[in-house]
Amino acid sequence: MPTVRDLQAMAGEEPITMLTAYDAVTASIVDDTGVDIILVGDSMGNAVLGHDDTLPVTLDEMASRVGAVARGADDALVVADMPFLSFGADESESIQNCGRMLKEEGANAVKLESGPHTVELTERLTELGIPTMAHLGLTPQSVNQTGYTRQATDREEAEEIIDLAREHEAAGAFALVLEHIPANLAAQITETVDIPTIGIGAGGDCDGQVLVFTDVVGLSERSPPFAEQFGDVRGEVADAVDEYINAVESGEFPAESHSHTEDELEDLY
């Protein structure tokens, strides 16, 4: 399993791969492929829990999914995405919530949707031995303020993100997710900071890339414009279910090979 230092050493040398997972089975599949980081994202709200956004995801839901993923992954670094209002309001409570993901659920690090309010928290978490990944640009937990549009498209906002990237690096963040910002801004941030940058909709000059699992395998009904579908799992699943229904309705399933009989149970009535 790579440590955060191993990942930092990869910056500029070897592309870092990160995917989301929300259960042990998916985590095992993703882990076996050799992905570097598995993010248990609050994107589970949209991807698997049926919500319109990430805001309803609870701390207990996240903890349950983090534990499942940690049990399914042997080699990848498991990062717990801290859900809305589980951090930032009270430092002590924030630390306890983040610590729970490592102490009780088996995560190796946490991720915070970041801003000026998370700089001191990142520093304190790092001091306590909780590796922290920062997240700048489009932060879905701020959807009611920003929507899902591309961020930092003007000079002032871009400079703010660069400053925040530097501040979180200085606070001890071991890596930085950059979401849905101009590619040339992401390239400048990658050049400016020494910690790895991991992009999602931020161009190819970041040190690594992350996408949502359901988008990658083609399980989502809709995907963001910066995602790529590398398979058609949704179609494969639908075909398999159709075949099952047809087999049951036609009497082909279950066959004799799927059942057994006991001679001594004959003529009970």
Tab-separated table of all heavy atoms in Angstrom, residues 176-218:
chain	number	residue	atom	x	y	z
A	176	LEU	N	-3.683	17.568	-3.583
A	176	LEU	CA	-4.680	18.586	-3.879
A	176	LEU	C	-5.509	18.174	-5.086
A	176	LEU	O	-4.977	17.954	-6.170
A	176	LEU	CB	-3.963	19.914	-4.172
A	176	LEU	CG	-4.792	21.110	-4.629
A	176	LEU	CD1	-5.787	21.518	-3.559
A	176	LEU	CD2	-3.870	22.284	-4.955
A	177	VAL	N	-6.822	18.022	-4.871
A	177	VAL	CA	-7.743	17.777	-5.974
A	177	VAL	C	-8.146	19.123	-6.583
A	177	VAL	O	-8.504	20.057	-5.854
A	177	VAL	CB	-8.993	17.010	-5.505
A	177	VAL	CG1	-10.046	16.952	-6.617
A	177	VAL	CG2	-8.619	15.598	-5.081
A	178	LEU	N	-8.091	19.213	-7.897
A	178	LEU	CA	-8.507	20.412	-8.624
A	178	LEU	C	-9.651	20.013	-9.539
A	178	LEU	O	-9.475	19.220	-10.465
A	178	LEU	CB	-7.341	20.976	-9.447
A	178	LEU	CG	-6.124	21.436	-8.651
A	178	LEU	CD1	-4.980	21.813	-9.598
A	178	LEU	CD2	-6.480	22.622	-7.746
A	179	GLU	N	-10.843	20.557	-9.284
A	179	GLU	CA	-12.019	20.137	-10.033
A	179	GLU	C	-12.599	21.250	-10.887
A	179	GLU	O	-12.870	22.359	-10.391
A	179	GLU	CB	-13.110	19.604	-9.083
A	179	GLU	CG	-14.347	19.127	-9.836
A	179	GLU	CD	-15.331	18.369	-8.969
A	179	GLU	OE1	-15.053	18.154	-7.774
A	179	GLU	OE2	-16.405	17.989	-9.489
A	180	HIS	N	-12.797	20.940	-12.165
A	180	HIS	CA	-13.544	21.775	-13.115
A	180	HIS	C	-13.060	23.226	-13.118
A	180	HIS	O	-13.838	24.170	-12.955
A	180	HIS	CB	-15.033	21.703	-12.789
A	180	HIS	CG	-15.918	21.916	-13.990
A	180	HIS	ND1	-15.508	21.710	-15.290
A	180	HIS	CD2	-17.219	22.316	-14.078
A	180	HIS	CE1	-16.501	21.973	-16.122
A	180	HIS	NE2	-17.548	22.343	-15.421
A	181	ILE	N	-11.746	23.381	-13.296
A	181	ILE	CA	-11.146	24.701	-13.459
A	181	ILE	C	-10.400	24.719	-14.787
A	181	ILE	O	-10.121	23.664	-15.365
A	181	ILE	CB	-10.183	25.055	-12.301
A	181	ILE	CG1	-8.991	24.092	-12.268
A	181	ILE	CG2	-10.927	25.065	-10.973
A	181	ILE	CD1	-7.922	24.471	-11.245
A	182	PRO	N	-10.074	25.910	-15.324
A	182	PRO	CA	-9.350	25.959	-16.598
A	182	PRO	C	-8.042	25.169	-16.542
A	182	PRO	O	-7.322	25.200	-15.532
A	182	PRO	CB	-9.094	27.456	-16.786
A	182	PRO	CG	-10.211	28.119	-16.045
A	182	PRO	CD	-10.447	27.248	-14.843
A	183	ALA	N	-7.748	24.477	-17.617
A	183	ALA	CA	-6.563	23.622	-17.649
A	183	ALA	C	-5.278	24.419	-17.455
A	183	ALA	O	-4.336	23.937	-16.814
A	183	ALA	CB	-6.513	22.855	-18.968
A	184	ASN	N	-5.245	25.640	-17.990
A	184	ASN	CA	-4.011	26.412	-17.836
A	184	ASN	C	-3.822	26.892	-16.401
A	184	ASN	O	-2.692	27.049	-15.927
A	184	ASN	CB	-3.961	27.581	-18.820
A	184	ASN	CG	-5.191	28.465	-18.791
A	184	ASN	OD1	-6.260	28.057	-18.332
A	184	ASN	ND2	-5.051	29.693	-19.274
A	185	LEU	N	-4.905	27.094	-15.670
A	185	LEU	CA	-4.783	27.424	-14.248
A	185	LEU	C	-4.290	26.205	-13.471
A	185	LEU	O	-3.397	26.312	-12.619
A	185	LEU	CB	-6.124	27.893	-13.698
A	185	LEU	CG	-6.200	28.083	-12.174
A	185	LEU	CD1	-5.174	29.101	-11.693
A	185	LEU	CD2	-7.611	28.486	-11.755
A	186	ALA	N	-4.855	25.036	-13.764
A	186	ALA	CA	-4.412	23.818	-13.086
A	186	ALA	C	-2.934	23.557	-13.343
A	186	ALA	O	-2.202	23.120	-12.442
A	186	ALA	CB	-5.249	22.626	-13.546
A	187	ALA	N	-2.490	23.832	-14.557
A	187	ALA	CA	-1.071	23.644	-14.885
A	187	ALA	C	-0.192	24.572	-14.055
A	187	ALA	O	0.875	24.161	-13.573
A	187	ALA	CB	-0.848	23.885	-16.375
A	188	GLN	N	-0.640	25.818	-13.871
A	188	GLN	CA	0.147	26.766	-13.071
A	188	GLN	C	0.183	26.357	-11.595
A	188	GLN	O	1.211	26.487	-10.930
A	188	GLN	CB	-0.438	28.165	-13.218
A	188	GLN	CG	-0.268	28.757	-14.612
A	188	GLN	CD	-0.926	30.118	-14.746
A	188	GLN	OE1	-0.503	31.094	-14.121
A	188	GLN	NE2	-1.976	30.183	-15.563
A	189	ILE	N	-0.944	25.857	-11.084
A	189	ILE	CA	-0.969	25.403	-9.686
A	189	ILE	C	-0.041	24.204	-9.520
A	189	ILE	O	0.722	24.119	-8.544
A	189	ILE	CB	-2.403	25.046	-9.265
A	189	ILE	CG1	-3.281	26.297	-9.267
A	189	ILE	CG2	-2.408	24.395	-7.885
A	189	ILE	CD1	-4.755	26.022	-9.047
A	190	THR	N	-0.075	23.292	-10.477
A	190	THR	CA	0.788	22.115	-10.428
A	190	THR	C	2.257	22.524	-10.416
A	190	THR	O	3.082	21.920	-9.714
A	190	THR	CB	0.503	21.192	-11.618
A	190	THR	OG1	-0.877	20.800	-11.587
A	190	THR	CG2	1.374	19.958	-11.591
A	191	GLU	N	2.568	23.554	-11.170
A	191	GLU	CA	3.936	24.061	-11.209
A	191	GLU	C	4.306	24.791	-9.924
A	191	GLU	O	5.461	24.753	-9.479
A	191	GLU	CB	4.093	25.002	-12.407
A	191	GLU	CG	5.496	25.545	-12.620
A	191	GLU	CD	6.487	24.468	-13.045
A	191	GLU	OE1	6.056	23.461	-13.630
A	191	GLU	OE2	7.701	24.648	-12.787
A	192	THR	N	3.314	25.401	-9.297
A	192	THR	CA	3.574	26.242	-8.121
A	192	THR	C	3.787	25.428	-6.856
A	192	THR	O	4.654	25.766	-6.023
A	192	THR	CB	2.387	27.215	-7.912
A	192	THR	OG1	2.297	28.084	-9.038
A	192	THR	CG2	2.582	28.052	-6.654
A	193	VAL	N	3.007	24.365	-6.665
A	193	VAL	CA	3.082	23.592	-5.419
A	193	VAL	C	3.930	22.344	-5.622
A	193	VAL	O	4.080	21.842	-6.741
A	193	VAL	CB	1.682	23.201	-4.904
A	193	VAL	CG1	0.859	24.452	-4.625
A	193	VAL	CG2	0.975	22.287	-5.904
A	194	ASP	N	4.475	21.830	-4.535
A	194	ASP	CA	5.282	20.617	-4.581
A	194	ASP	C	4.453	19.357	-4.337
A	194	ASP	O	4.878	18.255	-4.697
A	194	ASP	CB	6.405	20.686	-3.543
A	194	ASP	CG	7.444	21.746	-3.892
A	194	ASP	OD1	7.682	21.970	-5.099
A	194	ASP	OD2	8.017	22.356	-2.967
A	195	ILE	N	3.285	19.508	-3.705
A	195	ILE	CA	2.444	18.336	-3.461
A	195	ILE	C	1.732	17.937	-4.754
A	195	ILE	O	1.548	18.765	-5.650
A	195	ILE	CB	1.421	18.603	-2.338
A	195	ILE	CG1	0.520	19.799	-2.688
A	195	ILE	CG2	2.128	18.822	-1.009
A	195	ILE	CD1	-0.594	20.038	-1.672
A	196	PRO	N	1.335	16.670	-4.887
A	196	PRO	CA	0.667	16.239	-6.113
A	196	PRO	C	-0.673	16.930	-6.315
A	196	PRO	O	-1.432	17.129	-5.363
A	196	PRO	CB	0.466	14.734	-5.895
A	196	PRO	CG	1.399	14.355	-4.812
A	196	PRO	CD	1.547	15.562	-3.943
A	197	THR	N	-0.960	17.278	-7.552
A	197	THR	CA	-2.287	17.749	-7.927
A	197	THR	C	-2.995	16.629	-8.683
A	197	THR	O	-2.390	15.952	-9.515
A	197	THR	CB	-2.224	18.997	-8.816
A	197	THR	OG1	-1.485	18.693	-10.013
A	197	THR	CG2	-1.556	20.150	-8.079
A	198	ILE	N	-4.265	16.436	-8.358
A	198	ILE	CA	-5.065	15.392	-8.999
A	198	ILE	C	-6.273	16.074	-9.627
A	198	ILE	O	-7.090	16.675	-8.930
A	198	ILE	CB	-5.487	14.316	-7.988
A	198	ILE	CG1	-4.240	13.673	-7.369
A	198	ILE	CG2	-6.360	13.263	-8.658
A	198	ILE	CD1	-4.525	12.714	-6.256
A	199	GLY	N	-6.371	16.005	-10.923
A	199	GLY	CA	-7.388	16.756	-11.633
A	199	GLY	C	-8.629	15.959	-11.936
A	199	GLY	O	-8.591	14.741	-12.118
A	200	ILE	N	-9.740	16.675	-11.993
A	200	ILE	CA	-11.000	16.138	-12.516
A	200	ILE	C	-11.647	17.291	-13.276
A	200	ILE	O	-12.112	18.265	-12.694
A	200	ILE	CB	-11.909	15.563	-11.405
A	200	ILE	CG1	-13.245	15.112	-11.993
A	200	ILE	CG2	-12.065	16.509	-10.228
A	200	ILE	CD1	-14.097	14.283	-11.044
A	201	GLY	N	-11.592	17.210	-14.574
A	201	GLY	CA	-12.040	18.333	-15.387
A	201	GLY	C	-11.095	19.509	-15.288
A	201	GLY	O	-11.519	20.659	-15.370
A	202	ALA	N	-9.785	19.228	-15.138
A	202	ALA	CA	-8.796	20.293	-14.969
A	202	ALA	C	-7.606	20.107	-15.904
A	202	ALA	O	-6.527	20.632	-15.655
A	202	ALA	CB	-8.320	20.337	-13.515
A	203	GLY	N	-7.792	19.357	-16.967
A	203	GLY	CA	-6.735	19.216	-17.961
A	203	GLY	C	-5.734	18.120	-17.642
A	203	GLY	O	-5.809	17.456	-16.602
A	204	GLY	N	-4.781	17.968	-18.541
A	204	GLY	CA	-3.832	16.870	-18.456
A	204	GLY	C	-2.507	17.183	-17.819
A	204	GLY	O	-1.628	16.311	-17.786
A	205	ASP	N	-2.327	18.392	-17.304
A	205	ASP	CA	-1.037	18.755	-16.718
A	205	ASP	C	-0.968	18.515	-15.221
A	205	ASP	O	0.070	18.776	-14.604
A	205	ASP	CB	-0.720	20.230	-17.011
A	205	ASP	CG	-0.404	20.473	-18.477
A	205	ASP	OD1	0.331	19.639	-19.056
A	205	ASP	OD2	-0.889	21.466	-19.034
A	206	CYS	N	-2.048	18.022	-14.619
A	206	CYS	CA	-2.002	17.672	-13.202
A	206	CYS	C	-1.152	16.412	-13.022
A	206	CYS	O	-0.878	15.677	-13.964
A	206	CYS	CB	-3.411	17.428	-12.662
A	206	CYS	SG	-4.472	18.894	-12.672
A	207	ASP	N	-0.746	16.163	-11.788
A	207	ASP	CA	0.085	14.993	-11.503
A	207	ASP	C	-0.706	13.697	-11.552
A	207	ASP	O	-0.123	12.613	-11.629
A	207	ASP	CB	0.734	15.130	-10.121
A	207	ASP	CG	1.698	16.309	-10.057
A	207	ASP	OD1	2.617	16.356	-10.886
A	207	ASP	OD2	1.517	17.176	-9.163
A	208	GLY	N	-2.017	13.781	-11.476
A	208	GLY	CA	-2.860	12.590	-11.522
A	208	GLY	C	-4.265	12.958	-11.950
A	208	GLY	O	-4.585	14.128	-12.186
A	209	GLN	N	-5.113	11.940	-12.051
A	209	GLN	CA	-6.497	12.139	-12.459
A	209	GLN	C	-7.420	11.312	-11.566
A	209	GLN	O	-7.042	10.232	-11.086
A	209	GLN	CB	-6.711	11.723	-13.912
A	209	GLN	CG	-5.923	12.537	-14.922
A	209	GLN	CD	-6.381	13.980	-15.030
A	209	GLN	OE1	-7.578	14.270	-14.902
A	209	GLN	NE2	-5.448	14.893	-15.263
A	210	VAL	N	-8.635	11.813	-11.354
A	210	VAL	CA	-9.660	11.079	-10.615
A	210	VAL	C	-10.980	11.194	-11.365
A	210	VAL	O	-11.276	12.235	-11.966
A	210	VAL	CB	-9.822	11.606	-9.164
A	210	VAL	CG1	-10.191	13.088	-9.142
A	210	VAL	CG2	-10.862	10.784	-8.402
A	211	LEU	N	-11.745	10.111	-11.366
A	211	LEU	CA	-13.100	10.114	-11.894
A	211	LEU	C	-13.981	9.262	-10.990
A	211	LEU	O	-13.488	8.480	-10.171
A	211	LEU	CB	-13.152	9.564	-13.327
A	211	LEU	CG	-12.693	10.491	-14.456
A	211	LEU	CD1	-12.730	9.759	-15.794
A	211	LEU	CD2	-13.531	11.766	-14.528
A	212	VAL	N	-15.275	9.422	-11.161
A	212	VAL	CA	-16.254	8.621	-10.423
A	212	VAL	C	-16.385	7.260	-11.114
A	212	VAL	O	-16.516	7.186	-12.339
A	212	VAL	CB	-17.609	9.349	-10.375
A	212	VAL	CG1	-18.699	8.450	-9.814
A	212	VAL	CG2	-17.476	10.624	-9.533
A	213	PHE	N	-16.354	6.195	-10.326
A	213	PHE	CA	-16.365	4.837	-10.854
A	213	PHE	C	-17.529	4.591	-11.796
A	213	PHE	O	-17.360	4.007	-12.877
A	213	PHE	CB	-16.415	3.834	-9.690
A	213	PHE	CG	-16.549	2.407	-10.119
A	213	PHE	CD1	-15.443	1.687	-10.537
A	213	PHE	CD2	-17.792	1.777	-10.109
A	213	PHE	CE1	-15.565	0.364	-10.949
A	213	PHE	CE2	-17.920	0.457	-10.518
A	213	PHE	CZ	-16.801	-0.251	-10.941
A	214	THR	N	-18.727	5.017	-11.412
A	214	THR	CA	-19.898	4.742	-12.229
A	214	THR	C	-19.832	5.442	-13.587
A	214	THR	O	-20.418	4.968	-14.563
A	214	THR	CB	-21.192	5.146	-11.492
A	214	THR	OG1	-21.059	6.498	-11.009
A	214	THR	CG2	-21.444	4.218	-10.310
A	215	ASP	N	-19.137	6.573	-13.655
A	215	ASP	CA	-18.932	7.241	-14.935
A	215	ASP	C	-17.938	6.462	-15.795
A	215	ASP	O	-18.151	6.257	-17.000
A	215	ASP	CB	-18.411	8.667	-14.731
A	215	ASP	CG	-19.431	9.592	-14.097
A	215	ASP	OD1	-20.638	9.325	-14.224
A	215	ASP	OD2	-19.021	10.581	-13.454
A	216	VAL	N	-16.856	6.018	-15.187
A	216	VAL	CA	-15.795	5.331	-15.919
A	216	VAL	C	-16.291	4.038	-16.563
A	216	VAL	O	-15.980	3.744	-17.722
A	216	VAL	CB	-14.603	5.035	-14.987
A	216	VAL	CG1	-13.617	4.060	-15.638
A	216	VAL	CG2	-13.883	6.329	-14.624
A	217	VAL	N	-17.081	3.262	-15.816
A	217	VAL	CA	-17.497	1.953	-16.331
A	217	VAL	C	-18.796	2.009	-17.123
A	217	VAL	O	-19.246	0.998	-17.661
A	217	VAL	CB	-17.630	0.916	-15.195
A	217	VAL	CG1	-16.315	0.761	-14.455
A	217	VAL	CG2	-18.757	1.273	-14.226
A	218	GLY	N	-19.407	3.189	-17.204
A	218	GLY	CA	-20.641	3.314	-17.980
A	218	GLY	C	-21.865	2.835	-17.243
A	218	GLY	O	-22.779	2.272	-17.845
